Amino acid sequence: MVAGSRAVLGFTGAGISTECGVPDFRSPGSPWRVNSPIPFDLFMASEEARCEAWRRKFAMDDLYGHATPGRGHRALAGLVAAGRMPAIVTQNIDGLHQAAGVPADKVVELHGNGTYATCLDCGTRHELADVRWRFEASGRAPTCRSCGGVVKSATVSFGQAMPEQAMRRATRLALACDLVVAVGSSLVVHPAAEFPLLAKRNGARLVIVNAEPTPLDGVADLVINADIGTVLAPLSAVV
Ligand code: OAD
Ligand code: ZN
């Protein structure tokens, strides 16, 4: 199907990064099941909640922040390099598509990026090492060096608005592809999960590669319930 398609859209979720040691959200034993992410309104509500969010963020980064790309990332990067995959729309915040060599402008991050922070007021980028140093030195949640605003990891938290430009790009890409390959996502979080469906409704074929069933299996043209690295690695022979 990849060989016979003009424009293949990659759509990825946390499952593509599990072989790299980064846990997904909904598999049994996921640390996110125990330590659920702090919602946006709580983060905004108090200094105490922001400190707790930073503590959890840095603890997770210590455990999983040094991951390197896996076979799934490399296979998709190969399709991008070969000109078969115009872009990858991802729910992941780990930056591993870029680390696998996909140009940053070809990765559409629906849920932001956890490898840096931004000011919610003025948008200034803040490096995590700097935020961490200030947090650990002062015990307070760091504020923006430019405007004094609230600084937050550049991820999209529950209750926070989706990034408009990424949403527009993902829509355009979904409407322009003739095959969408949804990899490693439970496809239950909206609006992200709507993009594979939008592509399918617009005439593209839909392939799902995931260990477990998803709500979109019934409309997919092909569902492969198997290990992502194993399934995607042979794609390098197609290009
Ligand atoms: P989930 O944890 O919901 O789904 C990951 C899927 O990948 C699961 O269905 C696993 O069975 C599957 N999986 C894991 N490892 C696999 C492997 N090696 N081979 C095959 N399948 C594998 O993750 P997402 O769908 O990405 O949002 O979650 C969507 C959003 O929910 C995330 O972006 C995050 C979360 O809350 C925000 O933080 C806003
Ligand atoms: Zn600012």
Side-chain angles (χ1 to χ4, degrees):
M1 289 168 87
V2 168
S5 300
R6 178 181 41 80
V8 185
L9 179 62
F11 178 87
T12 63
I16 197 169
S17 298
T18 55
E19 79 166 21
C20 315
V22 182
D24 65 10
F25 294 88
R26 291 174 183 79
S27 288
S30 168
W32 294 110
R33 288 187 168 217
V34 190
N35 234 347
S36 59
I38 293 181
F40 188 61
D41 54 356
L42 202 60
F43 182 87
M44 294 308 285
S46 72
E47 158 81 13
E48 196 185 329
R50 289 194 280 281
C51 287
E52 178 58 19
W54 283 118
R55 266 192 294 277
R56 290 188 192 183
K57 159 79 180 151
F58 295 135
M60 291 296 264
D61 280 359
D62 285 345
L63 290 172
Y64 313 116
H66 302 286
T68 54
R71 290 170 299 170
H73 299 102
R74 288 197 293 273
L76 296 188
L79 293 180
V80 173
R84 285 199 170 271
M85 185 167 278
I88 298 170
V89 174
T90 188
Q91 299 165 90
N92 299 345
I93 57 159
D94 54 26
L96 290 179
H97 289 301
Q98 295 91 322
V102 180
D105 65 349
K106 295 192 172 182
V107 182
V108 179
E109 294 174 316
L110 294 175
H111 293 162
N113 188 309
T115 66
Y116 58 93
T118 49
C119 170
L120 292 174
D121 290 339
C122 76
T124 296
R125 176 176 165 138
H126 295 260
E127 299 310 321
L128 287 180
D130 176 56
V131 174
R132 185 168 187 164
W133 185 85
R134 289 164 64 199
F135 175 59
E136 287 174 356
S138 69
R140 297 183 60 80
T143 50
C144 178
R145 285 192 188 278
S146 310
C147 79
V150 172
V151 171
K152 181 184 169 294
S153 157
T155 53
V156 177
S157 298
F158 279 100
Q160 191 174 4
M162 293 292 286
E164 278 175 32
Q165 200 198 355
M167 290 294 284
R168 273 198 302 274
R169 285 190 67 202
T171 303
R172 271 203 305 275
L173 287 159
L175 294 175
C177 69
D178 59 350
L179 175 66
V180 56
V181 185
V183 180
S185 176
S186 57
L187 299 173
V188 297
V189 173
H190 290 260
E194 280 143 44
F195 291 107
L197 191 58
L198 178 65
K200 173 66 188 167
R201 290 205 173 124
N202 192 51
R205 289 188 292 178
L206 168 62
V207 176
I208 295 174
V209 183
N210 202 59
E212 292 169 334
T214 79
L216 294 190
D217 287 2
V219 297
D221 296 270
L222 175 64
V223 177
I224 305 176
N225 290 134
D227 176 59
I228 290 162
T230 312
V231 173
L232 294 198
L235 280 178
S236 54
V238 177
V239 301

